[in-house]
Amino acid sequence: MYGRSVEDPAGFWSDIASEFYWKQKWGQPVYTHNLDIRNGKIDIQWFKGGKTNICYNCLDRNIDAGNGDKVAILWEGNDLGRDATLTYTQLLARVCQLANYLKSIGVGKGDAVIIYLPMLMELPIAMLACARIGAIHSVVFAGFSAESLAQRIVDCKPKIVITCSAVKRGAKTIFLKDIVDDALTQSAQNSVKIDVCLTFENESALQKQMTKWVEGRDIWWQDVVPKYPVTCDVEWVDAEDPLFLLYTSGSTGKPKGVLHTTGGYMVYTATTFKYAFDYKPKDIYWCTADCGWITGHSYVTYGPLLNGATNVVFEGAPNFPDAGRCWDIVDKYKISIFYTAPTLVRSLMREGDEHVTRYSRKSLRVLGSVGEPINPSAWRWFFNVVGDGKCPISDTWWQTETGGFMITPMPGAWPQKPGSATLPFFGVQPVIVDEKGVELEGECSGYLCVKNSWPSAFRTLYGDHERYETTYFSAFPGYYFTGDGCNRDKDGYYWLTGRVDDVINVRYIYTRVLIHPIYLLLLFELYGAYVQWTPHWHS
Ligand code: WT7
């Protein structure tokens, strides 16, 4: 499959895309791209001309296939004993009610919506409701400050902000609505005034009457949304219409609004989920990431639901009330696929094995890791203690920008090496280059780039295509530069070594700016002036 995916990407991805529902089939060619800045504007398009809707493909399509009564979301609250479930049919009804409400206040195709919610069911519901009507969601992680939220509001000028009263994380209560109030004041000072702030009452954390309120702007979700019809027509959008914006902080400058479009993102996230986790319809899946990050977009909301999976959404903190909470949840829901980050693995490892071993965990089948290189000792602990030595670990390397997994093991398909993300996913052609941008062969060490496009590649930075081109396509012309350092071993396995973009940016500034002819001329002139005037200064 990998061979075909790189020899005939158009045929390979068309066959997979055909398994989804398209109101109208895409045109030809299946994809076009220019990744070489020397040949003009960077441009990536997949399935252009195709009309589809990702919410329809997540919900209606699975319901039509007979899975309406299957559980879509298993929600586990912060406090022990608080939980809820939604089947695919129930989820669709909730999504439609919100979609109808959004339409009623004038949100439509192409409008931005900011979602500042914790891991309540309402978070994926809000994302799907936006997708259903063609609005562009931008989820802001509900741990970000008022300043960060305001900055994002000012950048994308949403028609509405969706939030909740407060959330409990562990023993702490975080007053989200207060943070939003502050952010809305700040954005108004920057001439971006928000007319509607839809607020979900998260009863267990903070009740209605205790929440600060701005009459005329603030609206309780529970007061309006349930009154709307439980069906809502779908807005068919082009495969290349924007689906969402997600801001990444980046090491320098203002946050970058990474823009993903609809068709390619849908096909790729669904396919990576299916293969990298060896997904089977009976699986119960839990990804511990928050929907405020790309992991939550691609592998809590879209990837699993596109596959008709049963998905856990967890509101709380993984060490509350104690370090065994994750395994308590694994046993409670009989989770078979568990996807998390090395930081969590390491912190639980420090707490001691007994927090793990007092739970059975016998439902576990596949483990996953993302976010940073997983050090071999944490890998071994995860494998031997959590997985009882029987669950392969998918160490998935990817980025907000890539939308989906790029380098990842496929459970059981090839040998694993602790600490290596192993080999590229279908259709991905990674290359390692030296500092001059020369592609290295075989065993080597250098900068990780990708030399082709893949369906879920980001298409631009919102409102700043030039920054997109300079940040990702200028350092090594002809390639997408990931910003990561990487080694490749003799078996062709990839070993990520961490961010190097700062180093590369400095090099870029040095060559493009410091050696620029105008600077040289200026230096020359200064020197001339110095030679001419020094004698006078002395006298
Ligand atoms: C950066 C992307 C992708 C979702 C979470 C982070 C690092 C991510 C791995 C991995 C080694 C990894 C890279 C990458 N990274 N996964 N499996 N092995 N490094 O998304 O915030 O866009 O960060 O995270 O350095 O470039 P992000």
Side-chain angles (χ1 to χ4, degrees):
M1 282 177 80
Y2 181 77
R4 181 173 177 229
S5 76
V6 293
E7 279 149 30
D8 173 23
F12 179 87
W13 289 113
S14 284
D15 285 354
I16 292 181
S18 303
E19 293 165 20
F20 294 85
Y21 181 82
W22 297 80
K23 186 74 181 165
Q24 180 186 309
K25 207 184 157 175
W26 54 91
Q28 292 293 334
V30 175
Y31 72 96
T32 56
H33 65 219
N34 171 41
L35 305 183
D36 194 333
I37 193 95
R38 294 164 301 194
N39 298 338
K41 195 173 167 232
I42 302 295
D43 183 46
I44 300 170
Q45 302 192 350
W46 281 80
F47 310 112
K48 180 86 186 154
K51 296 264 180 289
T52 188
N53 183 289
I54 196 169
C55 173
Y56 185 91
N57 274 285
C58 285
L59 305 179
D60 311 57
R61 184 176 57 103
N62 284 316
I63 295 166
D64 291 348
N67 288 323
D69 294 335
K70 185 172 176 180
V71 173
I73 295 180
L74 289 163
W75 181 76
E76 171 78 6
N78 178 69
D79 298 337
L80 287 172
R82 277 185 73 234
D83 53 26
T85 61
L86 283 181
T87 64
Y88 272 84
T89 304
Q90 290 166 334
L91 178 58
L92 174 62
R94 297 277 196 98
V95 167
C96 287
Q97 287 183 316
L98 180 62
N100 283 320
Y101 167 74
L102 291 173
K103 282 208 286 195
S104 79
I105 61 155
V107 179
K109 189 172 171 216
D111 291 330
V113 172
I114 285 220
I115 304 171
Y116 187 74
L117 281 172
M119 290 296 274
L120 301 171
M121 292 199 275
E122 283 65 26
L123 177 45
I125 288 172
M127 295 165 77
L128 291 161
C130 290
R132 193 164 190 89
I133 62 172
I136 307 168
H137 58 72
S138 185
V139 182
V140 178
F141 174 56
F144 279 172
S145 66
E147 291 75 37
S148 306
L149 176 58
Q151 205 172 25
R152 286 153 176 78
I153 291 171
V154 169
D155 194 65
C156 76
K157 303 177 183 58
K159 277 234 166 121
I160 176 174
V161 172
I162 304 179
T163 188
C164 76
S165 48
V167 66
K168 272 210 245 169
R169 235 179 247 127
K172 253 195 2 224
T173 300
I174 302 151
F175 299 94
L176 295 178
K177 177 63 168 53
D178 288 356
I179 298 172
V180 174
D181 286 348
D182 190 357
L184 294 183
T185 309
Q186 290 182 34
S187 59
Q189 285 158 359
N190 286 288
S191 332
V192 178
K193 194 174 154 282
I194 301 301
D195 296 329
V196 186
C197 177
L198 184 69
T199 310
F200 184 82
E201 182 189 13
N202 190 12
E203 236 177 306
S204 73
L206 183 68
Q207 293 180 347
K208 242 179 171 168
Q209 48 284 8
M210 317 271 291
T211 309
K212 290 201 198 98
W213 210 242
V214 177
E215 278 313 324
R217 181 195 73 189
D218 300 346
I219 292 172
W220 286 112
W221 174 310
Q222 283 93 331
D223 283 354
V224 289
V225 176
K227 291 186 183 142
Y228 282 84
V230 294
T231 58
C232 172
D233 285 346
V234 166
E235 179 80 35
W236 301 107
V237 299
D238 192 280
E240 281 302 337
D241 280 335
L243 172 64
F244 67 86
L245 272 179
L246 184 59
Y247 288 89
T248 66
S249 37
S251 31
T252 48
K254 72 171 192 122
K256 299 178 282 195
V258 169
L259 184 116
H260 282 284
T261 57
T262 306
Y265 178 84
M266 170 175 85
V267 170
Y268 196 82
T269 53
T271 309
T272 45
F273 176 80
K274 177 172 160 186
Y275 287 98
F277 293 135
D278 183 37
Y279 171 73
K280 300 283 182 318
K282 280 207 180 96
D283 280 314
I284 309 286
Y285 166 81
W286 180 24
C287 165
T288 62
D290 190 289
C291 287
W293 309 104
I294 190 70
T295 311
H297 282 62
S298 303
Y299 302 107
V300 175
T301 302
Y302 293 114
L305 295 178
L306 285 164
N307 281 281
T310 297
N311 199 355
V312 173
V313 171
F314 176 45
E315 179 192 32
N319 53 2
F320 178 82
D322 63 44
R325 184 69 188 273
C326 287
W327 324 119
D328 179 48
I329 295 173
V330 163
D331 281 359
K332 176 171 174 183
Y333 297 111
K334 307 213 166 16
I335 286 157
S336 54
I337 306 173
F338 176 72
Y339 185 35
T340 193
T343 38
L344 182 65
V345 174
R346 282 192 299 267
S347 80
L348 295 180
M349 187 165 102
R350 280 194 295 270
E351 300 289 330
D353 294 5
E354 60 284 358
H355 286 293
V356 186
T357 51
R358 69 187 148 100
Y359 294 98
S360 125
R361 294 158 286 111
K362 70 171 192 292
S363 54
L364 286 175
R365 192 169 74 76
V366 176
L367 302 174
S369 168
V370 62
E372 58 178 304
I374 177 161
N375 49 307
S377 65
W379 194 102
R380 290 205 169 82
W381 184 81
F382 199 26
F383 182 78
N384 291 322
V385 180
V386 174
D388 274 336
K390 64 179 174 56
C391 308
I393 297 177
S394 283
D395 176 1
T396 60
W397 175 82
W398 60 298
Q399 309 175 295
T400 305
E401 292 86 343
T402 70
F405 304 154
M406 298 293 280
I407 299 180
T408 175
M410 283 197 208
W414 53 72
Q416 317 185 75
K417 297 189 188 190
S420 168
T422 78
L423 301 168
F425 190 74
F426 302 141
V428 176
Q429 299 181 57
V431 292
I432 298 181
V433 301
D434 67 12
E435 62 276 13
K436 292 196 194 70
V438 177
E439 223 177 290
L440 302 172
E441 299 292 329
E443 208 177 335
C444 62
S445 156
Y447 305 112
L448 183 65
C449 292
V450 185
K451 70 171 171 193
N452 64 320
S453 77
W454 60 98
S456 70
F458 68 138
R459 306 303 201 243
T460 192
L461 291 180
Y462 183 69
D464 200 349
H465 199 69
E466 203 183 314
R467 189 174 179 202
Y468 172 70
E469 294 180 335
T470 48
T471 312
Y472 302 98
F473 296 93
S474 299
F476 303 113
Y479 303 110
Y480 164 67
F481 173 46
T482 65
D484 279 353
C486 187
N487 302 330
R488 190 168 48 214
D489 70 15
K490 60 180 185 349
D491 300 321
Y493 278 46
Y494 290 83
W495 299 76
L496 278 299
T497 57
R499 304 295 300 174
V500 292
D501 46 351
D502 284 350
V503 184
I504 299 297
N505 282 340
V506 168
R507 192 180 69 94
Y508 178 75
I509 290 166
Y510 177 73
T511 52
R512 301 298 142 93
V513 183
L514 290 188
I515 310 186
H516 195 280
I518 293 179
Y519 279 86
L520 289 180
L521 204 71
L522 200 72
L523 282 176
F524 188 75
E525 290 293 319
L526 282 173
Y527 180 71
Y530 173 76
V531 170
Q532 196 178 348
W533 292 103
T534 338
H536 303 284
W537 292 339
H538 284 291
S539 63

